[in-house]
Amino acid sequence: MASASRAKIEAELRAAAARGEPTPIPLMGWVRICWRILLMLLSLIVLLPLHYLYRALAYGSPFPMYFLRYAAWVSGARVKVIGTPLRRDVFFISNHISWLDILALAGASGTAFVSKAELAEVPVVGWLASLNRTVFVKRENRMGVAAQINSLREALSDNWSVTVFPEGTVTDGQSLLPFKTSMLRVLEPPPAEVLVQPVMIFYGDIAEWIGWVGDESGLNNAKRVLARKGSFPLEIHFLEPFSPEDYHGRKAIAARAREEIESALVNALGKPLRDYEYSVDPVRYQAPEKSFPIE
């Protein structure tokens, strides 16, 4: 009975947050927020000097991966990796539910990211993501799409693993939006030996609480998640990789990846996906003289 009551309260608070209303945080919630942030800071004190020392001697420090893995754990996520992530020469394509996705995915694979610029404004989380080479993309960006694609191509040619969230926004864990393919232009033509590996992220029932949807601010979502009592499951399914050379262009690559992710998500949910209930604004990236619709 108590569990049902808590679920009802969380559903009401989540609905209010999606309307843009600030979520009230009780005293113990603030204690959890402060404690979790303190643990992250303490781990930074230990790992950050090791990170810079490593970078002075060699390339490809593992310490951001260690830190982000720990940060996901401190935030309450109990990450379970299903499947085997490729470590290099790989372009991950994933569904997207929360800023926690970045902590968990980076902690599991060391991948770099392309993510929306709003995430950079979330206290602590934006900075954590930047430690792991996240490329923050603005909806209206003077750099333009071409510069972003060049950055991705350089990353892939340098043997990084790179992750994109082609839905262009976060969802509720019960839906899957159409994939936007502009950032997949980096695969036209694909860099030598690079494979595409679809990734399905699954939070189970807690996705309804974790999801950053509607008109909620990033700060409010971070407070809600960090204030929550206890832990929650987060599964990362690394699906079967495929060669982008076997497909004709970014739209075919996106369609194949989306098909694999949708199948895995439906299987995990045990039911069909539902329509996404929140409006999603069209995403357009602007260069100085022209705009590029995200297809």
Side-chain angles (χ1 to χ4, degrees):
M1 183 65 70
S3 177
S5 176
R6 175 179 176 178
K8 182 180 179 180
I9 292 172
E10 288 190 345
E12 292 172 351
L13 290 173
R14 174 189 178 275
R19 295 193 296 268
E21 301 173 16
T23 301
I25 306 295
L27 177 60
M28 284 307 300
W30 283 111
V31 170
R32 293 184 197 102
I33 291 172
C34 294
W35 175 244
R36 284 167 167 160
I37 291 175
L38 176 61
L39 289 177
M40 293 182 199
L41 291 175
L42 290 175
S43 67
L44 272 180
I45 291 173
V46 174
L47 294 177
L48 204 57
L50 295 174
H51 166 66
Y52 287 115
L53 178 61
Y54 191 102
R55 286 187 59 183
L57 302 174
Y59 182 75
S61 167
F63 292 104
M65 180 177 70
Y66 298 155
F67 174 72
L68 293 169
R69 181 184 303 169
Y70 180 69
W73 187 88
V74 167
S75 299
R78 298 298 178 261
V79 178
K80 180 179 180 180
V81 174
I82 300 169
T84 304
L86 300 179
R87 295 297 180 181
R88 53 183 291 173
D89 296 323
V90 59
F91 196 83
F92 294 123
I93 297 178
S94 177
N95 64 321
H96 195 18
I97 298 159
S98 166
W99 49 269
L100 285 164
D101 301 349
I102 287 182
L103 306 186
L105 263 173
S109 67
T111 182
F113 290 89
V114 178
S115 186
K116 66 178 184 178
E118 289 87 342
L119 183 69
E121 300 170 5
V122 178
V124 182
V125 175
W127 180 64
L128 298 182
S130 68
L131 281 179
N132 208 57
R133 307 176 303 227
T134 297
V135 178
F136 295 108
V137 179
K138 294 183 178 179
R139 293 190 174 191
E140 294 183 356
N141 189 348
R142 293 181 179 179
M143 290 177 63
V145 170
Q148 300 289 354
I149 291 171
N150 285 338
S151 296
L152 287 177
R153 192 172 292 276
E154 290 173 4
L156 286 171
S157 66
D158 204 22
N159 296 326
W160 292 5
S161 59
V162 176
T163 298
V164 295
F165 301 112
E167 291 171 283
T169 187
V170 286
T171 60
D172 55 11
Q174 312 281 326
S175 313
L176 193 64
L177 295 173
F179 281 6
K180 302 169 178 66
T181 64
S182 284
M183 286 301 148
L184 272 62
R185 289 180 187 173
V186 69
L187 301 175
E188 293 180 329
E193 299 183 2
V194 167
L195 296 177
V196 171
Q197 186 167 24
V199 179
M200 192 276 286
I201 297 175
F202 183 65
Y203 288 81
D205 293 338
I206 197 64
E208 295 283 6
W209 177 257
I210 296 297
W212 176 12
V213 298
D215 295 324
E216 183 178 18
S217 70
L219 177 58
N220 190 78
N221 182 270
K223 289 192 299 183
R224 280 200 304 110
V225 171
L226 294 177
R228 188 179 187 276
K229 181 180 179 180
S231 61
F232 50 87
L234 196 174
E235 295 181 1
I236 305 177
H237 296 247
F238 289 95
L239 308 176
E240 191 67 24
F242 63 88
S243 173
E245 293 182 350
D246 295 337
Y247 296 84
H248 299 292
R250 67 184 190 273
K251 291 184 178 180
I253 294 169
R256 165 65 190 276
R258 191 183 186 283
E259 178 182 342
E260 296 295 326
I261 293 169
E262 180 177 0
S263 177
L265 183 54
V266 168
N267 184 63
L269 287 170
K271 60 183 180 180
L273 302 185
R274 69 188 185 194
D275 293 336
Y276 189 55
E277 61 181 300
Y278 302 97
S279 61
V280 179
D281 294 333
V283 179
R284 299 179 72 88
Y285 293 95
Q286 289 189 350
E289 297 182 357
K290 64 184 294 187
S291 63
F292 300 83
I294 301 303
E295 302 172 357

